[in-house]
Amino acid sequence: MSRMEPAADRRPDRGENMALAATALDELVNREYRHGFVTDVESDTLARGLDEDVIRLISRKKDEPDFMLEWRLKAFRRWLTMTEPAWASVHHPPIDYQDIIYYSAPRSMKAGPASLDDVDPELLRTYEKLGVPLKEREMLAGVAVDAVFDSVSVGTTYKAKLAELGIVFCSFSEAVREHPELVRRYLGSVVPYTDNFFAALNAAVFTDGSFCYVPPGVRCPMELSTYFRINAKNTGQFERTLIIADEGAHVSYLEGCTAPMRDENQLHAAVVELIALDNARIKYSTVQNWYPGDKEGKGGIYNFVTKRGDCRGANSHISWTQVETGSAITWKYPSCILRGDNSVGEFHSVALTNNHQQADTGSKMIHIGRNTRSTIVSKGISAGRGRNAYRGLVKIAKAAEGARNFTRCDSLLLGDRCAAHTFPYIEVKNPTAKVEHEASTSRIGEDQLFYCMQRGISAEDAVSMIVNGFCKEVLKELPMEFAVEAQKLLGVSLEGSVG
Amino acid sequence: MLEIRNLQASVEGKPILRGIDLEVKAGEVHAIMGPNGSGKSTLAQVLAGREGYEVTGGEVRYLGHDLLAMAPEVRAREGVFLAFQYPVEIPGVSNAYLLKAALNGVRRHRGLPELDAMDFLALVRQNMKRMGMADDMLYRSVNEGFSGGEKKRNEILQMSVLEPRLALLDETDSGLDIDALQVVADGINAMRGPERAVVMVTHYQRLLGHVVPDFVHVLSQGRIVRSGGRDLALELEERGYGWLDGAAAPQAGPPERAAP
Amino acid sequence: MNAESRDRFVAEFRRVEAALPGAKVPWVVRARSLALARFADSGLPTLRDEDWKYTSLARIEKRAFRALPSGAPGSAAPPGLAAGLAFDGLPGHVIVFVDGRHVPALSHIGGLPAGVIVGSLADALERMPERLEAFLPDDTRHTVLGALNTAFMSDGAFVYVPRGVAVAEPIHWLFIATRQDAALHPRNLLVAEEGAQATVIEQHADLGSVACLTNAVTQIFASRGSVVEHCKLQRQSPEAIHLAGIHALQGQGSRFTSHSIAVGAALARHDITATLDAEGCEAELNGLYLAEGRQHVDHHTRIDHARAGGTSREHYRGVLDGASRGVFNGRVIVHPGAQRTDAHQANHNLLLSRDAEVDTKPQLEIYADDVKCTHGATVGQLDEAQLFYLRSRGLEEAAARSLLTHAFARDVIERIRASSLRAHVERLLLARLPGGAQVREPA
């Protein structure tokens, strides 16, 4: 920058300002974890460890039809032959899969409460505290919520109202019982149990999750959402979400996650499958705020998730938006298989790693159909000793005439001990494709901060403004309810986005 | 020289030209005016042979030949020149190279000997001087980093070097300041002659003050709805294009909105 | 790992080791046997290795290439062999190697400033091994193919430029392969002392169509304040396999420029690295790959910003025709403490035919915060608007395509500073384009 020297007497000390800016950064990245409390409920919990008997037990507890048990067992046998992937840019001590509890449910849920009114008030209070009231009178307007507590769904709001339109929105367990034909047809059709180590494990032991089916031509009138909560100690959470938008259907789905502060690392290995048929549209948004561990890197969730959407029909559209601020380790690549002609895939991501957090995240866009389009926008913010990697694949298959991809990934560095990596893979087998990838890495410039402060903006606000500006492109993709939450999470004021 | 009969064309399946009839004789200057989206630029692109513009009906004869059957480069060599509304930037290819390749292509086509480097440079420099262009422009990449005005001048320079029989000028006046407009207009006027014809596509009548047309046509919704002399342009200047909607509607098939 | 090909290389080594240069120099013998052990440990890389994900060496495994021991009759090469390839008219110094052996009769070294050495590495290993010990065993990149080269290294160029000396004319290393099934392991060493300046051209070509294996390594030591330009021209015949490592280690404030022009070989893999090992270094890696038919051309580059204040620029472009495949992998690593790093990388690819393929992977790995790093990669085809513009000015479609392809590739060629060399490369490029002969700039 050209150093324009202001009058000496009026000039604030640059070093002092920078120190202030550093404090603001510290405050931004050292917020206490707000959702770290533990709910005191009696739980029905299996012993640690995993074998075929445990899987049979889970299946029995969930009253599943035979095809589900068989599928689980096939997945388990496959999993035994697989090894944990080692290619991600993350490091952790080996995970002892026999030291994890694979099923835990609040005892009060055992009888299966008939309606939300019958749910243990302690559980309802938990969700209230998390800002997701489930009771009729206080329910969030315009958002239907499926609340998942440890291994089971506590309840789903607005179910009846959605049913009037033919929309099925319920827990996965209920879907297995009530709509086995839909489950059987679509389960594993996007992420087969053979897909990867964690997907195989999930298929074997998944306990609950959300299920959604939107019938042809229906535009879902409200946001659907699932709130995941890990409460019990030493348990792993393995939920599975399946969303099907039939021809011409539209649906927007939100997902939020929190967990108590515990010293041990807990494993969360979820699978999400999206299926969009002709002219259907699915928007999937995540604000992931699992417990990230403490400042020394102790505890926190290992978030190893497989998310994939299949644009199966012509003109279908799947968009992923994620704000990842939690978890000790994040390993996830929400992807799109663009099979239908003219289908569109999008991925918008903000990932913040602080202290000892590690994130290896990105997206895969597999172009198979003609005139398919995809966009990837990834914003990584690394602070403290955080490690943040973007890993992506754009693949243009031989038949994908006229395919287009645009990828932009930017990294912002706060502090000199963090790390930011970019690993984009681009594979093009069709000469009519156009693929563009851009990436940049920079830090919050002293110059930028100094400029703001010279204009009378506090260092803290300046940092917020800059981080906000950096993430804006992604945050604007979130539904309103989540955008606010996400901005709070990022410690970003609304300044600049209003007015 | 140019006879257009019932020309219809569409872009990505959407009809833009819905039956154009126009005759241009040697020695004439025609102005085609009309509001945005009326199809003016499409007409120019179709005449030059741009891919992606699908001719769905009608015919175009140029000097007695089927113009639409010719490849774009053959049209150029036969003397059809399009001055682009948005001249394309081509990094890595110098202006001098493009001009020389184009000029010698035309000369070969006409059975004339190719110009050697000396004669070529002399010819180009003479034209550049008239256009008020700096010498170094020759060695810069085609239109790369040129201002809007520089690009338009460059189009006119190419035209004066290539000496086409039929010049199609697509919004050549847009984005020019008054001095540049005069230079461009001089370039066009220098082109006029009994053997040549000029078709100017323009939204405003500004250029027409400098290059006086023999005929003015108004294009609306893909058809020529009015034709007249120089006065028509002045009338348009005064009244805008709004009053033409009424004139266009009856010809445009079923009216899209009810009478007020 | 393919054990069969590994065992073949090991057996070949036993067969020729006694005849390799430096057989009486203990450190050379030790370096060779360590390197062989390292190679034997892992064998040739396979598609399962991340660095070899897109490039298969199965071709090597299928064929029994024979190492040529020292003293093979390279000197029997006919005079005039290098004519044409030596860029007649290009001023400077030419040192010629035929089938991996230095041929003084074909070489021409002009007047050099005092203290400058331009000669054969085999010769130097016999006559002054002590001058090489600090450099040769330094296998900074530790690749398996590098180890294989160290085990077998036969001959190559040795250039030494003393402190403060500038060699004005380019030094041309010309490697010509003539023998079917030969396995050649050229090793080159360029040492530029403090403030020295030199430009080197490393050219690999074949006499006719020769199915041989070249596994070359070039080490460059650019000391404090030196300026080194290395231009690699790989134009081997369509039967050949070309593997190459080019590794530069940079001292404070040094400037290293690499150009890699790859037009030849059935299978070509180039590993090019620059380590900015002191403050204030500048590195520039440029590359152009043109492939057609069933050619496979791979560039893996790596820039290590190990210290603060470094600048790196990387411009790679590829033109893929026929059923060829281009691979680009560009890694830029900013190590802890390498503040004020400024790194920019770009890779652009042009696909000219239905069956051509490109795999590109630009990577940034950053462990410092005060940095400015960008990269970009594109894959596309010729611009339709530009094509139409040229055709509307009367250019034939084929000529317009060649012209635009040429313009695309020129971005890289223009970065070559030695003008005579630039013109040669330009001619090579034009020879590859349909109607390219007509694409000439007016004087």
Side-chain angles (χ1 to χ4, degrees), chain C residues 45-125:
Chain C
T46 68
L47 295 177
R48 300 179 67 87
D49 294 284
E50 176 65 21
D51 273 347
W52 292 85
K53 188 176 158 71
Y54 299 114
T55 298
S56 163
L57 292 179
R59 260 173 218 272
I60 299 182
E61 288 160 7
K62 284 191 208 125
R63 220 169 162 130
F65 292 103
R66 307 255 308 161
L68 298 183
S70 216
S75 49
L81 179 65
L85 293 173
F87 298 156
D88 302 325
L90 183 72
H93 320 278
V94 188
I95 176 161
V96 179
F97 301 84
V98 177
D99 294 324
R101 290 290 299 157
H102 178 214
V103 184
L106 296 175
S107 305
H108 167 78
I109 310 294
L112 289 166
V116 174
I117 300 172
V118 175
S120 138
L121 187 88
D123 191 41
L125 274 172

Side-chain angles (χ1 to χ4, degrees), chain B residues 49-50 72-73 76-77 81-82 84 88-92 94 97-98 102 143 155 158, chain C residues 385-386 388-397 403-404 407 410 438-442:
Chain B
R50 178 81 198 243
E73 58 268 36
R77 292 173 190 177
F81 181 92
L82 170 66
F84 284 58
V88 179
E89 297 188 7
I90 311 181
S94 73
Y97 180 81
L98 172 63
N143 293 322
E155 294 292 286
Q158 291 177 9
Chain C
Q386 292 178 348
F388 176 65
Y389 190 77
L390 291 173
R391 293 179 70 191
S392 78
R393 294 298 176 256
L395 273 72
E396 293 281 354
E397 185 175 353
L403 182 60
L404 290 175
R410 256 184 84 175
Q438 290 150 32
V439 180
R440 291 293 284 275
E441 289 291 307

Side-chain angles (χ1 to χ4, degrees), chain A residues 63-81:
Chain A
D63 210 5
E64 288 179 347
D66 288 345
F67 82 88
M68 281 301 303
L69 176 63
E70 278 160 31
W71 193 71
R72 286 174 182 278
L73 289 172
K74 272 194 280 185
F76 177 68
R77 287 165 198 154
R78 178 64 178 238
W79 177 72
L80 289 173
T81 69

Side-chain angles (χ1 to χ4, degrees), chain C residues 33-290:
Chain C
S33 82
L34 280 174
L36 187 78
R38 208 179 108 52
F39 168 76
D41 217 29
S42 53
L44 289 173
T46 68
L47 295 177
R48 300 179 67 87
D49 294 284
E50 176 65 21
D51 273 347
W52 292 85
K53 188 176 158 71
Y54 299 114
T55 298
S56 163
L57 292 179
R59 260 173 218 272
I60 299 182
E61 288 160 7
K62 284 191 208 125
R63 220 169 162 130
F65 292 103
R66 307 255 308 161
L68 298 183
S70 216
S75 49
L81 179 65
L85 293 173
F87 298 156
D88 302 325
L90 183 72
H93 320 278
V94 188
I95 176 161
V96 179
F97 301 84
V98 177
D99 294 324
R101 290 290 299 157
H102 178 214
V103 184
L106 296 175
S107 305
H108 167 78
I109 310 294
L112 289 166
V116 174
I117 300 172
V118 175
S120 138
L121 187 88
D123 191 41
L125 274 172
E126 299 295 343
R127 291 198 300 122
M128 44 180 164
E130 69 289 347
R131 295 194 73 150
L132 307 180
E133 188 174 2
F135 304 108
L136 267 195
D138 177 286
D139 182 9
T140 37
R141 286 289 151 247
H142 299 294
T143 65
V144 173
L145 294 174
L148 189 64
N149 176 282
T150 300
F152 281 95
M153 60 182 174
S154 52
D155 202 350
F158 171 50
V159 172
Y160 177 85
V161 187
R163 185 177 170 148
V165 173
V167 181
E169 305 297 347
I171 302 163
H172 187 175
W173 307 339
L174 175 55
F175 293 85
I176 304 171
T178 70
R179 286 210 199 181
Q180 199 76 0
D181 292 322
L184 307 169
H185 299 272
R187 179 72 161 242
N188 305 303
L189 177 61
L190 165 61
V191 178
E193 296 284 16
E194 189 173 336
Q197 294 193 19
T199 296
V200 164
I201 302 163
E202 179 183 341
Q203 184 179 192
H204 293 259
D206 299 341
L207 193 69
S209 198
V210 182
C212 62
L213 166 67
T214 298
N215 175 37
V217 168
T218 297
Q219 286 172 281
I220 295 166
F221 293 85
S223 310
R224 184 185 182 121
S226 62
V227 178
V228 175
E229 184 166 352
H230 178 266
C231 183
K232 168 83 179 265
L233 198 51
Q234 188 275 103
R235 48 190 296 203
Q236 287 201 260
S237 68
E239 296 274 298
I241 298 172
H242 185 91
L243 311 172
I246 297 167
H247 308 294
L249 184 69
Q250 295 188 247
Q252 191 182 332
S254 61
R255 207 165 107 198
F256 169 64
T257 308
S258 153
H259 309 276
S260 175
I261 312 291
V263 298
L267 166 65
R269 159 76 174 226
H270 313 84
D271 281 282
I272 300 174
T273 70
T275 306
L276 286 69
D277 203 29
E279 297 215 345
C281 295
E282 279 177 48
E284 187 179 334
L285 306 188
N286 302 317
L288 174 66
Y289 41 99
L290 305 178

